């Protein structure tokens, strides 16, 4: 009989405790969802150039629903991420009424044909830019590879103040580079940096000879072939055929 009494006693305490927990949960829910605590300020943090007040206001009106506690951070983050120039976003509530938005913008380095832009990570994004950017062409899925190689090639060409205007990668991974001074450079898929560096090392000597370079075929293992603008090819160094 004593055991039955103890069971009833502990059962009663358990029911009482559960009721307290339920009441506290309901109070907390009511407090967080129906108390005011509005989000009064959205502060954008980070280095950005293409995010403006109108876009922030639009997201605030459409997606920032609820109060400080009930705000859906996921849908708000998704809204910011869908903006053309935004690469990454993180959100943070700051008591009592502020939402901080940490943004990372795409850092553009080129155009993927006429349809999109390419960032420094080789990712395609659909933004608008009036910058004078190099054009990238290549097989689908090579965006990252082209962006990486472009940065290496441009670093080498910078030694002679040459700027790339267009990079084309064929299905056989042959490079066709056009510079802003209308010079064409052809490279095989192998030893790109080595071949380009060898050409740049001889660039001044070549100019002294041909005055203006129309094209440079660097697909030779030990040299290259130079064509002067509007004139026949002038072979330099190697007598071997190019590596295709």
């Amino acid at each position: 009989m004593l055991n039955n009494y103890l069971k009833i006693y502990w059962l009663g305490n358990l029911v009482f405790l559960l009721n307290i927990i339920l009441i506290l949960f309901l109070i907390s829910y009511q407090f967080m969802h129906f108390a005011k605590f509005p989000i009064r300020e959205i502060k954008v943090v980070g280095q950005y150039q293409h995010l403006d007040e109108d876009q922030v206001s639009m997201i605030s009106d459409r997606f920032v629903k609820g109060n400080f506690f009930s705000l859906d951070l996921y849908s708000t983050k998704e809204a910011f991420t869908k903006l053309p120039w935004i690469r990454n976003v993180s959100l943070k509530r700051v008591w009592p009424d502020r939402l901080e938005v940490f943004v990372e913008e795409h850092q553009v380095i080129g155009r993927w044909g006429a349809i999109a832009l390419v960032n420094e990570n080789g990712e395609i994004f659909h933004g608008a830019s009036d910058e004078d950017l190099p054009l990238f062409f290549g097989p689908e899925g090579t965006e990252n590879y082209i962006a990486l190689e472009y940065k290496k090639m441009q670093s080498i060409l910078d030694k002679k103040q040459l700027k790339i205007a267009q990079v084309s990668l064929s299905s056989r991974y042959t490079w066709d580079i056009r510079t802003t001074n209308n010079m064409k450079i052809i490279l095989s898929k192998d030893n790109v940096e080595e071949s380009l560096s060898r050409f740049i090392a001889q660039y001044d000597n070549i100019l002294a000879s041909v005055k203006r370079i129309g094209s440079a075929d660097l697909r030779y293992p030990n040299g290259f072939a130079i064509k002067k603008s509007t004139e026949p090819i002038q072979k330099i160094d190697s007598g071997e055929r190019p590596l295709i």
Side-chain angles (χ1 to χ4, degrees), residues 106-122:
H106 293 284
Q107 301 300 313
V108 65
I109 62 169
R111 300 182 188 276
W112 188 253
I115 62 172
L117 300 175
V118 182
N119 69 19
E120 63 179 0
N121 299 296

Side-chain angles (χ1 to χ4, degrees), residues 20 28 46 69 73-74 109 111 117-118 131 142 151 155 170 181 197 204 219 224 240 242 244:
I20 293 297
S28 299
F69 297 101
L73 293 180
Y74 178 79
I109 62 169
R111 300 182 188 276
L117 300 175
V118 182
E131 290 186 63
T142 60
K151 288 190 288 186
S155 177
S170 73
N181 65 345
S197 295
D204 290 336
R219 293 174 294 175
F224 36 80
E240 302 178 52
I244 305 298

Side-chain angles (χ1 to χ4, degrees), residues 19-20 26 39 43 49 73 77 84 93 165-166 181 184-185 191 195 198 223 232-233:
N19 284 332
I20 293 297
L26 291 174
I39 297 293
K43 183 178 180 181
Q49 296 178 339
L73 293 180
K77 178 180 178 178
R93 295 184 179 96
Q166 180 176 307
N181 65 345
K184 177 180 179 179
I185 302 173
N191 305 317
S195 298
R198 184 168 59 235
I233 291 179

Side-chain angles (χ1 to χ4, degrees), residues 60-98:
S60 176
D61 294 339
R62 294 186 184 182
F63 298 97
V64 180
K65 305 297 182 182
N67 61 26
F68 183 85
F69 297 101
S70 62
L71 172 66
D72 186 345
L73 293 180
Y74 178 79
S75 63
T76 305
K77 178 180 178 178
E78 285 291 297
F80 275 102
T81 304
K82 288 178 180 178
L83 294 175
W85 279 85
I86 302 302
R87 182 172 184 263
N88 195 23
V89 178
S90 61
L91 304 178
K92 178 183 178 182
R93 295 184 179 96
V94 180
W95 179 260
D97 58 3
R98 187 166 82 239

